[in-house]
Amino acid sequence: MKNSKPVYSLSKQQVAQNSMRFNRFMFFRYVTALFFFVNLYWTILSIAHWTVAGMIPILLMVMDGCILVEQTQKYWQQSNRLKVTKCGLWVQMAINLIGVIFALIGQTQYIVPFMNQTGRWLLLGLFTLGLLICLYAQRKIWLIEHDQDKYLAYLKAFEGTGGK
């Protein structure tokens, strides 16, 4: 009976450490969910004015799904590598940059056919915001992959105390 209690607390400690390591990547799950729903909305609105550009948000949603699969695997895999997340956010960033350029030259109807010229400045703001979010996420990826993120210090302190 005495031996079962330390085994239980060790298991509880391991679960706590796995959860903390998993939470290290929480920001990316939230950003991916945000982009997924924005791309879903873009897809739904594009159906009424379907063009080949309507495939852009669909492909972005597929990429978001791949990112979410990689993020889910982080609970079991202790790697700090974010290959799919990094690639997916680069693709999202490239689309946002193209959107900014198209909005600046007044050609948004080619990528967002359901908006007219009066929505040009709104699109410019949204694409710019998406671009900034992607840049910030890429910075966080770099910090995590190089073990320079703040959360790692908290994680090491937690593990150093034995998870108590």
Side-chain angles (χ1 to χ4, degrees), residues 62-81:
V62 169
M63 182 66 74
D64 292 337
C66 293
I67 291 171
L68 290 174
V69 167
E70 180 184 61
Q71 290 301 313
T72 303
Q73 291 174 345
K74 291 298 173 193
Y75 188 79
W76 297 279
Q77 297 173 355
Q78 304 304 318
S79 170
N80 65 344
R81 297 289 166 223

Side-chain angles (χ1 to χ4, degrees), residues 22-37:
F22 187 62
N23 289 341
R24 186 178 182 195
F25 307 100
M26 180 91 56
F27 172 77
F28 304 110
R29 291 191 294 278
Y30 283 124
V31 166
T32 304
L34 172 73
F35 282 131
F36 178 83
F37 286 110

Side-chain angles (χ1 to χ4, degrees), residues 12-29:
K12 191 175 180 181
Q13 178 184 355
Q14 189 63 35
V15 168
Q17 287 176 346
N18 282 349
S19 295
M20 285 192 73
R21 285 189 197 104
F22 187 62
N23 289 341
R24 186 178 182 195
F25 307 100
M26 180 91 56
F27 172 77
F28 304 110
R29 291 191 294 278

Side-chain angles (χ1 to χ4, degrees), residues 27 31 35 92-93 96-97 100 124-139:
F27 172 77
V31 166
F35 282 131
Q92 183 75 51
M93 189 165 45
N96 281 307
L97 181 60
V100 166
L124 179 63
L126 291 174
F127 281 127
T128 302
L129 180 62
L131 185 63
L132 293 173
I133 291 170
C134 287
L135 285 170
Y136 182 71
Q138 289 293 349
R139 172 71 178 150

